[in-house]
Amino acid sequence: DSSKLSPRRVEDLKHSFVVAVAAGDRHSIALTKLGEVYAWGDNRSAQLGRSLLSTRLFTSNDRDSLSSPGVTGSASHKPQRVEGLWSATPRRRAISIAAAEFSTIVLTLPPTLSDAESSLASLPVNVIFGWGHGNHIPLRVNFPPVDSSSSSEFSDLQQTNSSSYTRSTCINPIGIACAKYHYVACTADGRVYTWGLHSESLGIERDEQTLHEKDWFPSSKGSNQLQSSSIASPRLVVAMLPENGGGRAVSVSASESHTAVLTADGHLFTWGSCYGDNVLGHKGVRWQPKPRKVKRVHQAVGVALAKEHTVLLIGTNLPAVPCFQACAHDDSSSRSKLGTENLSPLSLQDTATIEIARNVDMFNVIPIAVASYRLNCRPLVSFCEKFLEMNLDGVLSVASLGDLEMFLNVRAGFEEVHFREFSNDGLFHPTLYNLANSKDWIEDCRAILNSLSGFIEVTNSS
């Protein structure tokens, strides 16, 4: 049976320290702590990093004669190391992996060469390798040494020799994403680069002033027209630059026909095309050729794209949980001793306050704050207010208008009351606090009694 209803360990990797995994439509990739890359599954597009000939010449009847068991037809059922990286000279150690339907890309550490001083390829920057779409050999993705959209800077550097290049003029990728027909990378300085097919997925418009004609695939053989849907080498997504309304990219993700980027300030930018109305995060938009910030997204720390939906991980800043000190017994012998056996346990209210504070999040902080105001639980009130101060953008994004209106009304009503300082806040009902701090508490008490005249006999006395 080729399908499994429950998770099972991949036995061939039980002796490897696996730190990351990735999956395409029909193949899987694993990354080990040593930087090895293992691949298994469908290899019809050479997405496993192995020759198509080696998997097509043999059938299941010939499997016993193969040096690598588990290879049948055009697929490999057993994880095998991508030797094109590990056995290369110098050895390539991967630190990140990504997979799609027809291809795989990996991010590797800088190679170590003896002539590092004179070789541009040996500069201390990470390197991206990719294979698939019919090619099983890991090919290096060559970035431009500088941002070629700045023509003056690029031309100045071209006039110098190769030895003048420094680390600051080279692109250092730190994040990668792989989709069906396009790829995305973000660099250490927060820039975004894309390459592949479909201009709406790349977020790059064909501008004669910024892109060279040789970077674009011809639309047909012998034609002088350019096809704006494909680009051969990584190009800078200019619209994602901070000066153009973007931000400093820290994470990227890609799906079949759209792309997403997270910025350092927790915002999400998306572009591309989709079949659903809200897949891109823009209401009613199915085609977005340029990067556009998604509204009501704040403090995002992770993103994952699929063909028809997007998943976000939102970060939360947590204030310190309320801390209560147990009280000592009143007798002098207990006060003279500091042992914990002489301290009384926390009250039920204090214990509940601690547990509630530990479970506060962006979705429930408003209702909990309202309840803490009404119960006059000051430690929980302070915690919720601090939480709101630290996560206001996120709370406003997910809270309902009804909850926000109720919170503001309750808070405004309680701000007008100056509560008396009791040793234990919340010991009495808030109504008693209001009466105790009322300017004319006798009249207020009488008003309460009058409202209960049907149940309690009220006597008038001077």
Side-chain angles (χ1 to χ4, degrees):
D1 187 6
S2 60
S3 62
K4 306 297 181 183
L5 298 179
S6 59
R8 295 187 181 183
R9 183 173 67 178
V10 180
E11 295 295 333
D12 294 282
L13 294 176
K14 65 181 180 181
H15 298 301
S16 301
F17 196 121
V18 177
V19 295
V21 292
D25 278 18
R26 297 181 180 88
H27 75 290
S28 303
I29 307 293
L31 173 65
T32 69
K33 187 177 181 180
L34 295 177
E36 303 167 291
V37 177
Y38 287 85
W40 66 99
D42 181 29
N43 194 44
R44 283 175 289 186
S45 298
Q47 60 265 54
L48 301 184
R50 290 191 292 277
S51 171
L52 291 172
L53 183 63
S54 65
T55 55
R56 286 176 177 170
L57 289 181
F58 301 98
T59 63
S60 57
N61 296 330
D62 304 314
R63 182 169 57 185
D64 295 337
S65 63
L66 294 176
S67 59
S68 300
V71 178
T72 59
S74 59
S76 172
H77 304 291
K78 300 173 72 67
Q80 297 185 27
R81 189 170 61 193
V82 180
E83 297 297 339
L85 294 175
W86 189 254
S87 301
T89 304
R91 176 170 290 173
R92 307 290 183 169
R93 297 183 183 271
I95 56 176
S96 181
I97 55 177
E101 183 174 354
F102 302 124
S103 61
T104 305
I105 61 173
V106 300
L107 182 64
T108 64
L109 292 172
T112 303
L113 298 176
S114 58
D115 56 345
E117 294 79 8
S118 60
S119 176
L120 179 62
S122 64
L123 287 174
V125 294
N126 300 326
V127 182
I128 299 177
F129 286 88
W131 57 89
H133 292 288
N135 170 64
H136 71 281
I137 301 175
L139 298 179
R140 174 172 177 165
V141 176
N142 293 311
F143 286 82
V146 291
D147 180 11
S148 60
S149 64
S150 178
S151 57
S152 60
E153 179 184 6
F154 185 69
S155 60
D156 291 342
L157 285 171
Q158 282 185 320
Q159 297 175 1
T160 61
N161 52 41
S162 61
S163 63
S164 65
Y165 285 107
T166 62
R167 181 176 183 177
S168 60
T169 62
C170 292
I171 296 172
N172 184 24
I174 59 172
I176 56 174
C178 181
K180 188 174 183 179
Y181 294 118
H182 76 284
Y183 308 91
V184 190
C186 62
T187 62
D189 59 356
R191 299 192 174 193
V192 179
Y193 289 80
T194 58
W195 65 101
L197 303 180
H198 308 305
S199 58
E200 66 273 11
S201 302
L202 302 177
I204 300 175
E205 289 188 339
R206 188 173 65 101
D207 189 345
E208 302 298 339
Q209 295 179 354
T210 59
L211 296 177
H212 301 285
E213 293 187 0
K214 64 182 179 62
D215 293 324
W216 296 86
F217 289 122
S219 57
S220 61
K221 185 176 181 181
S223 173
N224 294 326
Q225 296 181 350
L226 297 179
Q227 181 182 4
S228 62
S229 63
S230 58
I231 186 171
S233 60
R235 305 298 300 180
L236 175 67
V237 182
V238 180
M240 276 302 303
L241 295 175
E243 56 267 27
N244 295 330
R248 184 177 182 274
V250 295
S251 179
V252 293
S253 184
S255 184
E256 180 171 342
S257 56
H258 64 288
T259 307
V261 174
L262 284 183
T263 60
D265 52 6
H267 293 147
L268 172 67
F269 289 80
T270 63
W271 64 89
S273 60
C274 59
Y275 298 100
D277 289 335
N278 301 314
V279 176
L280 296 176
H282 315 300
K283 186 176 181 180
V285 175
R286 296 188 179 184
W287 184 74
Q288 178 63 39
K290 290 184 178 181
R292 179 179 175 184
K293 185 165 68 173
V294 179
K295 297 180 180 179
R296 296 171 63 92
V297 172
H298 305 274
Q299 298 184 220
V301 296
V303 61
L305 295 187
K307 183 177 181 180
E308 294 294 335
H309 71 285
T310 302
V311 180
L312 272 178
L313 178 63
I314 303 296
T316 304
N317 297 317
L318 296 175
V321 175
C323 181
F324 300 93
Q325 294 183 354
C327 300
H329 296 295
D330 293 336
D331 56 281
S332 59
S333 61
S334 298
R335 290 195 298 268
S336 62
K337 298 179 180 180
L338 299 179
T340 58
E341 66 277 3
N342 297 314
L343 298 177
S344 62
L346 294 176
S347 66
L348 179 60
Q349 175 180 303
D350 294 344
T351 303
T353 298
I354 294 174
E355 290 303 316
I356 293 173
R358 288 174 177 171
N359 291 276
V360 169
D361 57 36
M362 293 186 185
F363 293 90
N364 62 22
V365 63
I366 295 296
I368 291 177
V370 171
S372 62
Y373 273 118
R374 290 175 173 173
L375 295 176
N376 194 42
C377 182
R378 293 216 177 164
L380 193 55
V381 167
S382 300
F383 180 86
C384 291
E385 288 184 345
K386 188 65 176 177
F387 185 97
L388 288 170
E389 179 183 344
M390 299 172 67
N391 304 277
L392 183 59
D393 288 341
V395 173
L396 292 178
S397 299
V398 301
S400 65
L401 294 178
D403 287 344
L404 291 173
E405 183 178 0
M406 179 175 57
F407 169 75
L408 294 176
N409 291 336
V410 172
R411 192 174 188 274
F414 277 77
E415 282 181 346
E416 298 175 357
V417 180
H418 302 283
F419 295 108
R420 182 181 299 176
E421 294 293 339
F422 290 92
S423 58
N424 290 317
D425 287 334
L427 185 61
F428 302 100
H429 193 277
T431 301
L432 299 180
Y433 281 104
N434 291 335
L435 292 175
N437 291 274
S438 175
K439 295 181 180 179
D440 194 353
W441 67 273
I442 296 179
E443 293 299 328
D444 290 341
C445 289
R446 189 175 297 277
I448 294 176
L449 292 176
N450 289 335
S451 65
L452 301 175
S453 59
F455 306 92
I456 301 177
E457 182 179 356
V458 180
T459 60
N460 294 323
S461 60
S462 57

